[in-house]
Amino acid sequence: MDKKYTIKDIAELSGVSKGTVDRVLHRRGKVSKKARESVEKVLEKIDYEPNPMARNLKINKMYNISVIVPDPKFDRYWSPAVKGIKEAAKEFKAFGVLVKRYYYNPLDSKTFLEKSHEAIQTKPDVLLIAPLFKEEAIKIFTKCQEGNISIALFNNYLDALSKKNFIGQDLFQSGRVAASLIDKIVSNTSKIGIIHIDKESHMQLKEDGFKAYFKEKEPFQKLQTFNLSTFNKNSFINNSKKILSEHKDMAAYFITNSKTYLFSNAIGNLSKEIVLVGYDLLEENIKLLKTGQIDYLIHQKPRQQAYLALEYLAEHFVFGKEIPTHNLLPIDIITSENVQYYI
């Protein structure tokens, strides 16, 4: 078995004091060239690997991670993500990793900027962001660069920040998956609607993937995009019904976020006659999936995304593990027959 060498062992092999070995290992304090070379020669010979966790505990090092996430009280999609953040924070607190959450309104870009600036003022080691607003996220990235603060992203991918660490799904590909599901149900000449409810920047990637799938088919279906807002409940219901009344030949609709249930409820029983594909395992979506008013849901795994994003950062700090540049999670298709295994 390989021997586990201690600082005392290395000091004896090098012919120097334990204090000198400690200074060489942690690159602090003054060490003569001769002593440093002697220690480094021994380290190379024994193939010594430091224990980052033990080092952190010894020097009582603390790492601060600030998480900027949409407030679940405005959009319940984010409840599992917050749960994942809390789980990871609790798990790594004992190792000196402190996590602070900052909630913003997903319908108000100003609150995103406010909470991000508030977090930056605390000078965290890294800012973990679920960015719904592209231009504002770029501004925050620039501010972090000026303050030498690292940035990582989860849930929503932004091309402008493509070099940052990202945990989530391939949104373009998830749009293609939605298109393939609808394509298996409707005829080649059918008309299909794409609906953005309270559109956010990442939804465009899903639409692009959806359109790319049908563009490759011959003949391909006619596609039309609609934008709906939930700012006013009555207006949302009226506009949803208006889409149906003015486009009676639409065979299916692809809703690009977790608010599929809102559109289904707005159009009532007609949703059983139209193919609906949307996202996420919200309680309301699951109920309509079981009754056949929603045909398919694509599971984006918000809890897992948030947990993994924090886990990678914490393990990088504590254990020295490399953070993956991109970790794209599987795209799960949920039906009324398999949904019980996901809840």
Side-chain angles (χ1 to χ4, degrees):
M1 293 178 64
D2 292 336
K3 175 178 171 59
K4 184 176 178 63
Y5 290 89
T6 66
I7 287 180
K8 181 181 178 181
D9 295 328
I10 298 170
E12 291 176 353
L13 291 169
S14 307
V16 299
S17 68
K18 290 189 292 184
T20 299
V21 174
D22 184 77
R23 288 193 292 274
V24 172
L25 289 174
H26 299 110
R27 295 181 174 85
R28 62 188 179 204
K30 293 183 179 180
V31 179
S32 69
K33 182 180 179 182
K34 182 180 179 181
R36 182 180 299 279
E37 288 177 347
S38 179
V39 172
E40 289 177 345
K41 186 177 181 180
V42 171
L43 293 176
E44 184 178 351
K45 184 178 180 180
I46 66 176
D47 194 22
Y48 177 80
E49 291 186 7
N51 185 333
M53 185 174 70
R55 182 193 64 204
N56 288 341
L57 293 175
K58 181 180 178 181
I59 65 177
N60 199 28
K61 172 67 176 175
M62 305 296 289
Y63 297 100
N64 294 291
I65 302 175
S66 292
V67 185
I68 315 298
V69 62
D71 194 330
K73 76 180 180 184
F74 293 105
D75 186 346
R76 288 192 296 278
Y77 165 77
W78 295 99
S79 293
V82 171
K83 184 178 180 180
I85 292 167
K86 290 179 179 179
E87 289 173 354
K90 182 179 180 180
E91 182 175 338
F92 289 98
K93 184 177 180 180
F95 298 102
V97 178
L98 301 181
V99 178
K100 187 171 183 180
R101 303 183 302 276
Y102 295 83
Y103 297 117
Y104 69 92
N105 184 342
L107 301 177
D108 186 356
S109 61
K110 289 183 180 179
T111 63
F112 170 75
L113 285 173
E114 289 170 1
K115 292 300 178 180
S116 297
H117 283 298
E118 185 180 330
I120 290 172
Q121 291 300 314
T122 67
K123 297 182 179 179
D125 293 286
V126 63
L127 207 63
L128 176 60
I129 303 177
L132 300 183
F133 308 105
K134 182 177 180 179
E135 293 182 5
E136 288 77 5
I138 294 172
K139 290 180 182 178
I140 294 303
F141 169 61
T142 302
K143 191 73 176 177
C144 285
Q145 277 188 313
E146 295 171 357
N148 198 29
I149 298 171
S150 299
I151 276 189
L153 309 176
F154 76 99
N155 194 268
N156 296 333
Y157 180 77
L158 296 179
D159 287 331
L161 301 179
S162 60
K163 293 183 180 180
K164 300 293 103 184
N165 301 106
F166 171 73
I167 308 296
Q169 285 187 339
D170 185 331
L171 301 180
F172 182 90
Q173 190 62 32
S174 78
R176 290 186 62 94
V177 169
S180 70
L181 292 172
I182 291 176
D183 184 41
K184 289 175 173 59
I185 302 174
V186 303
S187 67
N188 289 340
T189 57
S190 298
K191 291 184 179 179
I192 301 171
I194 302 167
I195 296 181
H196 300 300
I197 301 177
D198 299 324
K199 188 176 182 181
E200 298 162 358
S201 59
H202 68 281
M203 296 181 193
Q204 188 59 51
L205 285 172
K206 297 174 182 177
E207 178 182 344
D208 293 344
F210 192 85
K211 288 181 174 178
Y213 174 91
F214 284 112
K215 190 175 181 180
E216 296 169 6
K217 293 186 66 64
E218 191 65 43
F220 57 86
Q221 285 88 340
K222 295 180 181 179
L223 309 177
Q224 187 167 348
T225 302
F226 305 92
N227 289 290
L228 293 172
S229 170
T230 61
F231 183 76
N232 183 291
K233 183 178 180 180
N234 290 331
S235 294
F236 174 82
I237 293 173
N238 291 334
N239 289 332
S240 297
K241 291 180 176 178
K242 184 179 179 181
I243 291 174
L244 255 68
S245 64
E246 293 182 355
H247 304 276
K248 294 180 180 179
D249 52 352
M250 287 284 183
Y253 288 95
F254 168 47
I255 291 82
T256 58
N257 65 0
S258 62
K259 299 177 181 178
T260 313
Y261 70 95
L262 291 176
F263 182 72
S264 178
N265 288 335
I267 64 177
N269 290 330
L270 289 173
S271 62
K272 285 190 175 183
E273 302 173 12
I274 300 169
V275 176
L276 289 184
V277 175
Y279 285 85
D280 306 314
L281 300 184
L282 271 64
E283 184 179 340
E284 298 90 340
N285 282 340
I286 293 172
K287 181 180 178 181
L288 295 175
L289 183 72
K290 289 180 177 180
T291 60
Q293 290 166 274
I294 294 176
D295 295 273
Y296 297 103
L297 290 170
I298 295 174
H299 187 21
Q300 297 187 98
K301 303 182 178 69
R303 189 204 68 80
Q304 188 178 1
Q305 288 185 30
Y307 179 88
L308 283 176
L310 265 177
E311 181 183 49
Y312 287 138
L313 293 172
E315 290 190 343
H316 171 70
F317 290 136
V318 178
F319 305 113
K321 290 186 177 181
E322 186 176 347
I323 304 173
T325 304
H326 287 80
N327 184 8
L328 300 177
L329 303 183
I331 300 171
D332 288 358
I333 300 168
I334 312 300
T335 71
S336 59
E337 300 301 321
N338 70 351
V339 67
Q340 61 181 315
Y341 301 106
Y342 286 86
I343 48 180

